[in-house]
Amino acid sequence: GGIAAVTSNGESFGMTIVEAMRCGVPVVSTDCPYGPGEIITHGENGVLVPIPEGVRGIARALRRLMDDPAERARLGEAGRERARAYDPERIAGRWLELIGECAERRRAAGKSAAGPAARGAGRRSERAGAPGDPAEPAGGEEAVRARGVPEPDNRR
């Protein structure tokens, strides 16, 4: 293909976007919440079309790229470079770092606790998940940040 068109109204992560970019195919995508805008920088390595522009906006962006082979080539090459951020080896390395950091924090928390009651503090209780269970981990965005989950490489 000469251009990849991704027209979702919602994406968690656009693997098809990364796959197209990896192949040097320029991407035109709706700028739906999360996903495309985390990967594509509009005009730099792809084209983001605001959802309210709908089919007409996608058609305009596709037509513009169809009429401009130099722009297609430029976006395709920049997209290929951007896709390197998502190479499996690189992502696996980030996961290994995160798991190592979490394991180290858990070990450190276990060493700093004193007494027999505190030694089991990091373990899930047999009734984990019960309301008010202090062994149940906190959730939400703040908990994710506290666990050291890496932020996306590409900010809008």
Side-chain angles (χ1 to χ4, degrees):
I3 304 169
V6 181
T7 58
S8 300
N9 285 335
E11 282 283 333
S12 59
F13 181 83
M15 196 62 195
T16 56
I17 293 172
V18 175
E19 290 169 348
M21 290 174 137
R22 185 169 278 127
C23 293
V25 175
V27 178
V28 171
S29 176
T30 50
D31 190 13
C32 58
Y34 312 106
E38 304 295 322
I39 302 166
I40 298 170
T41 301
H42 178 72
E44 185 178 308
N45 54 29
V47 178
L48 291 171
V49 177
I51 288 177
E53 292 185 21
V55 173
R56 291 180 195 275
I58 292 289
R60 266 192 309 276
L62 290 170
R63 191 172 297 121
R64 192 179 79 233
L65 287 184
M66 285 188 275
D67 292 341
D68 192 343
E71 180 70 353
R72 279 196 319 270
R74 185 186 72 74
L75 290 175
E77 188 53 40
R80 190 184 317 263
E81 182 63 34
R82 174 68 181 133
R84 288 189 183 118
Y86 300 97
D87 283 346
E89 299 80 18
R90 189 168 182 187
I91 297 299
R94 289 175 69 185
W95 273 109
L96 290 172
E97 286 176 26
L98 176 61
I99 292 167
E101 288 172 18
C102 291
E104 183 55 39
R105 286 183 190 158
R106 189 169 198 169
R107 278 192 295 276
K111 288 179 182 178
S112 66
R119 276 196 287 270
R123 297 186 194 130
R124 293 178 58 104
S125 75
E126 290 180 29
R127 59 180 196 87
D133 183 356
E136 186 64 18
E141 192 174 291
E142 290 174 20
V144 169
R145 243 182 273 116
R147 291 184 188 118
V149 174
E151 293 289 326
D153 290 338
N154 185 17
R155 301 193 193 270
R156 289 186 187 199

